[in-house]
């Protein structure tokens, strides 16, 4: 499987190192692509990350208020079958990308979202993921880590 990992950055000077270090600590598949979309940052974080990490190119979005524009730009330039969008304040736990790949093999037509945790490791209520056409995958947010259920929609 191939993957483009796209980091959307805005004013990320305080968090960008932890984000990229957590991504690069993953067991990444051969030929992965790392993207940086800088959403009009003025703190130098986009240029800093581009120079420090193995990012072949940086997409410079011109509107800090249009989060979705940055995601669309990223998707437009992605070179791989799978695209993982990561905001600059996310620190992925080891094994996250591998687990997302496992789910994408089981549900090939799905939009898959990881469970988001607060710094104290409690689960953020981030919503629901949908598998088209007949099932949703929903984290029930009951404090358990790494579990999900398949729910008909």
């Amino acid at each position: 499987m191939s993957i483009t990992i796209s980091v959307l950055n805005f004013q990320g000077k305080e968090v960008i190192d932890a984000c990229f270090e957590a991504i690069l600590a993953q067991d990444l598949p051969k030929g992965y692509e790392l993207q940086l979309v800088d959403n009009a940052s003025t703190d130098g974080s986009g240029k800093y990350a581009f120079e420090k990490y193995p990012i072949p190119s940086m997409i410079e979005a011109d509107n800090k208020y249009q989060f979705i524009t940055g995601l669309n730009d990223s998707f437009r330039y992605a070179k791989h079958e799978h695209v993982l969008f990561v905001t600059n304040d996310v620190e992925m736990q080891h094994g996250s990308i591998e687990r997302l790949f496992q789910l994408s093999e089981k549900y090939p037509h799905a939009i898959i979202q990881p469970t988001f945790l607060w710094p104290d490791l409690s689960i953020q209520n981030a919503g629901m993921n949908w598998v088209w056409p007949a099932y949703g995958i929903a984290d029930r947010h009951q404090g358990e880590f790494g579990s999900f259920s398949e729910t008909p929609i």
Side-chain angles (χ1 to χ4, degrees):
M1 288 195 162
S2 59
I3 188 168
T4 296
I5 303 166
S6 180
V7 177
L8 186 64
N9 178 61
F10 176 67
Q11 307 293 67
K13 197 168 196 171
E14 301 296 322
V15 294
I16 200 83
D17 281 319
C19 178
F20 277 103
E21 288 168 13
I23 290 170
L24 294 172
Q26 301 288 315
D27 295 324
L28 297 169
K30 289 183 180 180
Y32 74 92
E33 175 189 21
L34 194 55
Q35 276 185 347
L36 175 64
V37 179
D38 189 64
N39 240 4
S41 296
T42 58
D43 67 351
S45 56
K47 182 178 178 187
Y48 165 81
F50 179 68
E51 292 174 353
K52 182 172 182 180
Y53 296 102
I55 305 167
S57 63
M58 178 171 64
I59 300 166
E60 295 185 72
D62 60 2
N63 190 337
K64 65 183 178 185
Y65 300 109
Q66 297 293 323
F67 176 81
I68 196 66
T69 301
L71 295 180
N72 285 338
D73 288 345
S74 172
F75 191 76
R76 183 176 306 119
Y77 294 107
K79 297 176 182 171
H80 294 290
E81 177 184 7
H82 295 89
V83 180
L84 174 61
F85 297 113
V86 180
T87 56
N88 62 356
D89 61 342
V90 170
E91 294 178 42
M92 300 180 78
Q93 291 189 341
H94 188 74
S96 297
I97 292 176
E98 183 178 355
R99 179 68 176 131
L100 290 171
F101 268 140
Q102 290 169 354
L103 287 170
S104 72
E105 288 175 348
K106 185 174 181 180
Y107 303 101
H109 302 290
I111 296 172
I112 300 172
Q113 174 181 316
T115 301
F116 291 95
L117 304 177
W118 293 108
D120 68 359
L121 300 183
S122 62
I123 296 174
Q124 293 184 25
N125 189 354
M128 183 178 288
N129 310 303
W130 299 100
V131 178
W132 187 256
Y135 291 93
I137 300 175
D139 186 336
R140 297 295 178 205
H141 305 289
Q142 297 172 350
E144 72 278 5
F145 176 73
S147 65
F148 67 94
S149 61
E150 297 177 22
T151 309
I153 56 172

